[in-house]
Amino acid sequence: MVASIPVGTSIVIVDNASNNCDVKEELDVRDGMQVIHNVENLGFGTACNIGAAQAQTEFIIFLNPDTRLLDGSLDALVAAADDFPTASAFNPAITDNHNRPYFKRSSVLLQDFRKPARGWPSSSREVAVLSGAALFVRRAAFEAVGGFDPKIFLYHEDDDISIRLKADCGPLYFVRDARVIHDGGNASPRSPKTAALKAFHMGCSRIYAARKYNILGAERKALLTALTQLASPVNLFSARKRAKQTAFLRGVLWAVRNRSG
């Protein structure tokens, strides 16, 4: 990810209590980069807020560690900000490692929303929600909405900030000429333990975020989804999937019981 960022760009890396010492040492010696080491994993959104607090630039781009910017992408995003001056935040055109387009079409936080067609829009256009994998935002807008919600440890934090940015600061845009490759889900090991950690927080975030936006029936729907997924025969043959679905149910139940968030 770092190697794909153009020379001269201000970079802030937030290490969320990782245990990969070799990578941490390498990051610390790179020129022109600030590395912040959290002593514990504070969650995705909180870590992003910590990094963003160091930014002095007009724009901030949040990148997952398993993303790569293609040539010209940052220039295309800055140009789009000029072309759409009322917009608050943007997504580039994202693909996976197999060049398959990814486009966030909807969110569980958007009620009565009609999904657009699959795949990228044919040109740059306004959209309803953005992906946090590669989120380009005006710093003033990010600060105006208070950044990411620190109560969301992982998942749905991008949906939440998209809604707040659009409501308070201006529309959201997809930028067709900016390209990012996202090796989705491979920023952490594919193990039962990691799957369970992620799934637990997905369950918690699903309930918290839905409650925040007064989504009717969200708790019942999340519980039904969790039970249906847990009952799938596929879980019999995969320890990782069993861990994931069990943890998702635990996260939903925990959030239902703990209404304070």
Side-chain angles (χ1 to χ4, degrees):
M1 182 271 287
V2 171
S4 74
I5 298 174
V7 174
T9 305
S10 174
I11 302 173
V12 179
I13 298 290
V14 181
D15 167 29
N16 226 357
S18 67
N19 56 10
N20 193 328
C21 297
D22 292 340
V23 173
K24 291 165 75 168
E25 290 177 3
E26 181 183 354
L27 288 174
D28 283 339
V29 300
R30 284 181 179 263
D31 292 334
M33 183 188 310
Q34 181 178 357
V35 183
I36 299 171
H37 297 285
N38 291 336
V39 296
E40 61 179 307
N41 188 346
L42 301 175
F44 178 82
T46 296
C48 286
N49 290 342
I50 290 171
Q54 306 304 312
Q56 302 299 317
T57 49
E58 181 180 358
F59 305 106
I60 303 172
I61 184 167
F62 296 96
L63 292 172
N64 279 12
D66 52 357
T67 57
R68 286 174 286 148
L69 292 170
L70 297 190
D71 289 346
S73 293
L74 275 186
D75 288 339
L77 288 165
V78 172
D82 290 336
D83 292 340
F84 306 107
T86 63
S88 60
F90 307 80
N91 259 165
I94 301 172
T95 61
D96 64 14
N97 267 344
H98 302 287
N99 205 36
R100 292 176 298 205
Y102 169 77
F103 174 66
K104 192 162 189 174
R105 302 165 59 226
S106 64
S107 165
V108 295
L109 305 183
L110 297 176
Q111 299 185 82
D112 302 323
F113 173 68
R114 187 172 183 178
K115 291 183 181 180
R118 292 183 180 277
W120 294 335
S122 58
S123 61
S124 298
R125 50 157 285 188
E126 185 176 346
V127 292
V129 66
L130 298 175
S131 166
L135 177 66
F136 184 80
V137 59
R138 299 184 195 274
R139 181 165 62 91
F142 182 80
E143 293 175 350
V145 299
F148 289 99
D149 185 342
K151 291 186 177 181
I152 302 178
F153 184 88
L154 185 65
Y155 294 110
H156 300 303
E157 66 284 309
D158 47 2
D159 302 24
D160 168 67
I161 200 170
S162 292
I163 292 171
R164 291 186 285 119
L165 284 167
K166 184 175 182 178
D168 297 342
C169 300
L172 314 172
Y173 270 78
F174 165 82
V175 183
R176 187 67 172 77
D177 294 334
R179 293 285 305 279
V180 169
I181 297 174
H182 181 213
D183 189 13
N186 290 321
S188 53
R190 290 176 62 83
S191 67
K193 182 179 178 180
T194 301
L197 174 69
K198 290 182 176 181
F200 176 81
H201 288 293
M202 179 184 286
C204 294
S205 299
R206 176 74 58 88
I207 299 300
Y208 169 78
R211 191 178 290 146
K212 180 176 180 178
Y213 290 96
N214 300 312
I215 307 296
L216 296 177
E219 294 183 1
R220 183 182 70 254
K221 185 175 181 180
L223 280 169
L224 180 61
T225 298
L227 290 170
T228 301
Q229 291 176 344
L230 188 59
S232 171
V234 175
N235 296 321
L236 296 173
F237 307 100
S238 171
R240 190 178 67 86
K241 289 186 182 297
R242 284 197 305 275
K244 176 180 178 180
Q245 305 309 343
T246 302
F248 179 69
L249 177 59
R250 285 195 296 107
V252 169
L253 292 173
W254 185 93
V256 168
R257 290 193 299 265
N258 294 272
R259 289 185 169 273
S260 60

